[in-house]
Amino acid sequence: MIIILKDLPKISLNKWYAGMHWTKRKKIKDTYTLLVRSQFKEVLPASESYDTEYHFTFKLRPLDASNCVAMVKMIEDIIFESDGYKTIRSILITSYKGESDMVEIKINKK
């Protein structure tokens, strides 16, 4: 399965760790929920196991792959019923400069 999500706010893990107030983090999470749900309606069941790939592109100043983790976590919490180790077996993250701000998510059911 391939999911393409466009125009999500770029959130660096560095910014997240820098002491961002919880109300600001909640607002970002609520924005992500609204945007992701508007582009992908399913919730993938916890009864399955998945290997996942997140391929980010950014028009301006791409984040390094490890700084995309905050965005991956928010997306994962929205599209999967559970993010336990039995459900999400692996995560691969790439980050590139591209023509648009987007993430292509490849999900392989195991």
Side-chain angles (χ1 to χ4, degrees):
M1 169 186 301
I2 295 177
I3 302 166
I4 296 176
L5 302 173
K6 297 181 179 185
D7 300 322
L8 296 174
K10 179 169 50 171
I11 305 297
S12 169
L13 185 62
N14 288 338
K15 190 173 189 177
W16 203 263
Y17 273 141
M20 184 186 300
H21 194 268
W22 71 268
T23 55
K24 191 166 185 178
R25 288 194 313 265
K26 180 168 180 353
K27 184 177 178 183
I28 291 167
K29 176 70 181 211
D30 291 345
T31 299
Y32 261 70
T33 301
L34 180 71
L35 290 170
V36 170
R37 282 279 163 250
S38 72
Q39 298 177 56
F40 184 75
K41 307 250 186 272
E42 287 183 61
V43 174
L44 301 176
S47 59
E48 303 285 345
S49 294
Y50 307 93
D51 290 330
T52 59
E53 300 178 18
Y54 293 80
H55 302 286
F56 288 90
T57 60
F58 300 100
K59 282 176 74 169
L60 302 172
R61 297 176 294 146
L63 297 175
D64 59 81
S66 64
N67 273 318
C68 294
V69 168
M71 294 181 293
V72 168
K73 179 63 176 153
M74 286 188 287
I75 294 167
E76 180 182 81
D77 286 348
I78 297 163
I79 67 173
F80 292 98
E81 183 179 29
S82 168
D83 63 353
Y85 73 94
K86 290 181 181 178
T87 305
I88 307 297
R89 296 178 355 142
S90 68
I91 298 172
L92 170 74
I93 304 170
T94 61
S95 178
Y96 302 98
K97 187 169 180 75
E99 294 184 18
S100 64
D101 292 335
M102 62 167 275
V103 59
E104 178 183 272
I105 306 165
K106 295 181 180 178
I107 301 172
N108 297 307
K109 201 182 316 184
K110 294 296 170 182

